[in-house]
Amino acid sequence: MKKQLLFMALLGGLTFGGTQIVAPTTAQASTQKSVKAFPKKLQGAWYHYDGHGKYDKVKFTATKWRTVGYQNGSRYASTSKLHQRNLNADPDKLARHANWVVGWKMTVRRASWTDLRGWNQSAGDGTYYKVANKRYHGQKLAVLSEAGGAGVWVTQHYYASKQVAKQMKNHRFNSEVYYA
């Protein structure tokens, strides 16, 4: 079993071009559980300015994830509730819950991310979030990064206030790997 896990990790490392993705592991795989609550660093309201007078907003409470934004000029909003489950459970065999998510912590490129997926999602990538302190013109900012894809590529950043979000717009930090 250990040899299989090592081989899968090596294969994954080669597949993702050296990207290090470490999922939580335990001695008893059957007891592996998803997170019960969102990390305190994530909790609160976060804003991203789209450059056209509109703000996307992500809000986390201990167990809720709310997103509000604009796509092609139309507003969208979504609220999901975090639930804990055994990560080895087959999502296709669980009761259907359209607004439930499951999350777990993982390490990618030496950063701690929270990966969110639909309760019944059995394939595809999740939406990843992390909070890190970044420097911008000598100022230290708390930055919520959102990412997706197999390589956990950053798609956008959120900030704790609309004012900072508008100032930062679509700024890219050198320390991140971006999607396109």
Side-chain angles (χ1 to χ4, degrees), residues 16-142:
F16 300 129
T19 300
Q20 177 192 10
I21 298 178
V22 179
T25 57
T26 61
Q28 280 291 72
S30 62
T31 62
Q32 199 174 17
K33 296 274 189 186
S34 62
V35 297
K36 209 182 244 191
F38 290 115
K40 290 197 183 294
K41 285 176 107 176
L42 290 181
Q43 293 180 32
W46 299 88
Y47 303 91
H48 169 81
Y49 182 68
D50 73 354
H52 303 286
K54 306 236 187 275
Y55 293 89
D56 295 334
K57 179 180 175 182
V58 174
K59 183 177 181 184
F60 291 96
T61 66
T63 59
K64 285 192 181 166
W65 170 38
R66 177 150 175 84
T67 59
V68 178
Y70 295 86
Q71 190 166 14
N72 301 327
S74 297
R75 183 181 184 274
Y76 66 86
S78 172
T79 302
S80 298
K81 183 146 175 60
L82 179 70
H83 286 270
Q84 187 179 44
R85 71 168 163 84
N86 183 329
L87 291 177
N88 294 323
D90 182 351
D92 294 326
K93 294 181 180 175
L94 299 173
R96 298 282 174 211
H97 295 287
N99 294 322
W100 285 17
V101 292
V102 61
W104 59 87
K105 293 180 184 179
M106 58 191 302
T107 300
V108 180
R109 293 181 294 276
R110 293 175 290 178
S112 179
W113 292 81
T114 300
D115 180 14
L116 302 179
R117 296 181 186 207
W119 180 259
N120 299 103
Q121 183 177 341
S122 60
D125 305 311
T127 303
Y128 307 88
Y129 290 97
K130 74 169 181 177
V131 175
N133 290 320
K134 304 280 188 182
R135 288 218 169 273
Y136 181 77
H137 294 300
Q139 278 188 337
K140 193 162 122 178
L141 298 172

Side-chain angles (χ1 to χ4, degrees), residues 138-165:
Q139 278 188 337
K140 193 162 122 178
L141 298 172
V143 179
L144 173 74
S145 298
E146 179 182 83
V152 189
W153 300 293
V154 174
T155 53
Q156 61 188 22
H157 298 294
Y158 293 82
Y159 304 91
S161 73
K162 286 184 176 181
Q163 179 185 3
V164 173

Side-chain angles (χ1 to χ4, degrees), residues 2-13:
K2 285 183 183 180
K3 285 182 182 179
Q4 277 182 316
L5 288 174
L6 183 59
F7 176 74
M8 294 301 286
L10 178 62
L11 181 62

